[in-house]
Amino acid sequence: MTTLATVLALLLFTFRPELAGAPHAWRRAPEHGAAGDSTHTLVVDGRTRTYLAHVPPGYDGHTPLPVVLIFHGGLSNAAVTVRFTGLSEKADQARFLAVYPSGTGRLARALTWNAGDCCGYAEREHVDDVAFVRALLDDLTTHFAVDATRIYATGISNGGMMAHRLGAELADRIAAIAPVSGPLELATIHPSRPVSVMHFHGTADPFAPFHGGTGDKSLASIDFRSARDSVGAWVRADACPEKPQVTPVAPAPGDPTRVHRETFGPCKDGADVVLYVIEGGGHTWPGRDPRVRFLGASTASISANDLMWEFFEQHPKK
């Protein structure tokens, strides 16, 4: 697929969210703090920013809940990411706040994050998305009871890159991260405390190549860091063993992908770094069907949602 065709396909995916099974409109909760879905607005550095919040049923408004921040990919948006990831359903099951921040861009629904060396409008305009997330977390506590020791970040592609940046630069607030198909795009990292990391990446990713460089369908003219280099930076930062324990995952029936887990740990202060290598996997969310073939194959042998939540539960901020 040519770059132009890729751009058109991504924009179609973004502006027709039903292709990802996304809802056409985000419902506002009946009141702040109530269970359900709500849209929130704040101003950071002179820009009006928004985020979506999903509160699980049974929330009493008083008991502090964990938070999972879920960052959309480049040229996408928060609303599409709700159904693309399925994390609101996981939030209902596991009882955490699922929060979907929105990036910035010239088009209201084709947004990006400044994750360091990437991407698009946010990087070119030097948008301080770390400051935005810090302000978002402050704002979140005015609406909901939040467990400050259990705030986590994940995201796909450019959103995964943003999760990496938050782990590196907002470790005083973020307990652990789980990027998906998004490499680290910072030259160096010096987190203020060891941060546990679970990274998912397909070896056939055409956008952010597993082995690094510029992918066949990449929209950014940069050489991405490889998945293993990204994980290696965290292994060094968290003072982990250099040699991982490698564990194969039993394949689901009919799944063309093969998955294995590389575990580096224990690391300093009980942190862990984990890489899920998805042989034949594309630029997709493990365990979810993207319903669009240009992103590549999605594995059915693991569920990113189940694995990351189990990982998050094991790694609160100390």
Side-chain angles (χ1 to χ4, degrees):
M1 182 183 289
T2 66
T3 301
L4 177 59
T6 301
V7 171
L8 293 175
L10 282 171
L11 289 176
L12 177 64
F13 180 67
T14 298
F15 286 93
R16 290 189 58 196
E18 67 272 17
L19 293 177
H24 290 283
W26 188 262
R27 303 179 304 279
R28 179 171 293 278
E31 60 183 51
H32 289 315
D37 303 328
S38 54
T39 303
H40 302 267
T41 302
L42 63 159
V43 177
V44 181
D45 291 338
R47 289 185 172 89
T48 299
R49 306 296 299 267
T50 64
Y51 65 92
L52 310 179
H54 175 82
V55 184
Y59 172 67
D60 62 13
H62 303 288
T63 304
L65 293 181
V67 174
V68 178
L69 300 169
I70 305 133
F71 293 88
H72 60 75
L75 294 183
S76 188
N77 57 73
V80 167
T81 308
V82 174
R83 287 289 181 87
F84 183 80
T85 64
L87 275 166
S88 290
E89 289 85 351
K90 186 64 183 178
D92 290 347
Q93 172 193 338
R95 292 190 53 75
F96 60 82
L97 299 172
V99 177
Y100 304 85
S102 292
T104 56
R106 298 191 185 282
L107 299 175
R109 296 180 67 184
L111 308 173
T112 59
W113 299 104
N114 181 0
D117 291 334
C118 188
C119 294
Y121 175 91
E123 189 268 335
R124 289 194 305 270
E125 296 297 317
H126 307 289
V127 177
D128 191 343
D129 278 322
V130 176
F132 164 53
V133 174
R134 188 178 290 279
L136 181 159
L137 292 174
D138 291 341
D139 185 71
L140 196 67
T141 62
T142 69
H143 304 298
F144 309 104
V146 170
D147 184 342
T149 67
R150 296 191 292 165
I151 299 174
Y152 309 102
T154 184
I156 178 79
S157 190
N158 183 208
M161 300 172 201
M162 189 64 206
H164 274 296
R165 184 166 197 175
L166 292 174
E169 299 183 6
L170 203 62
D172 60 313
R173 306 290 290 272
I174 303 296
I177 62 172
V180 178
S181 299
L184 173 68
E185 286 303 312
L186 298 170
T188 60
I189 58 172
H190 303 284
S192 60
R193 45 168 286 276
V195 174
S196 292
V197 178
M198 177 174 280
H199 183 107
F200 300 86
H201 219 119
T203 62
D205 189 328
F207 290 90
F210 182 87
H211 297 291
T214 301
D216 294 339
K217 299 180 183 178
S218 177
L219 304 180
S221 299
I222 63 172
D223 286 334
F224 289 116
R225 187 192 290 253
S226 73
R228 282 208 167 88
D229 283 347
S230 300
V231 168
W234 285 106
V235 168
R236 292 186 294 274
D238 289 348
C240 306
E242 293 184 4
K243 186 175 181 179
Q245 296 179 334
V246 180
T247 307
V249 175
D255 187 353
T257 72
R258 293 295 181 268
V259 181
H260 72 263
R261 170 183 171 130
E262 299 179 8
T263 304
F264 302 82
C267 311
K268 186 178 179 181
D269 295 342
D272 288 295
V273 175
V274 178
L275 171 63
Y276 274 94
V277 180
I278 305 164
E279 298 287 346
H283 200 64
T284 52
W285 196 267
R288 299 284 292 181
D289 182 357
R291 298 176 65 181
V292 281
R293 300 278 71 85
F294 71 88
L295 294 177
S298 183
T299 185
S301 298
I302 59 172
S303 163
N305 293 353
D306 292 344
L307 290 170
M308 72 173 63
W309 178 248
E310 180 182 2
F311 186 74
F312 288 161
E313 283 196 300
Q314 295 169 355
H315 295 95
K317 184 166 69 70
K318 296 180 180 180

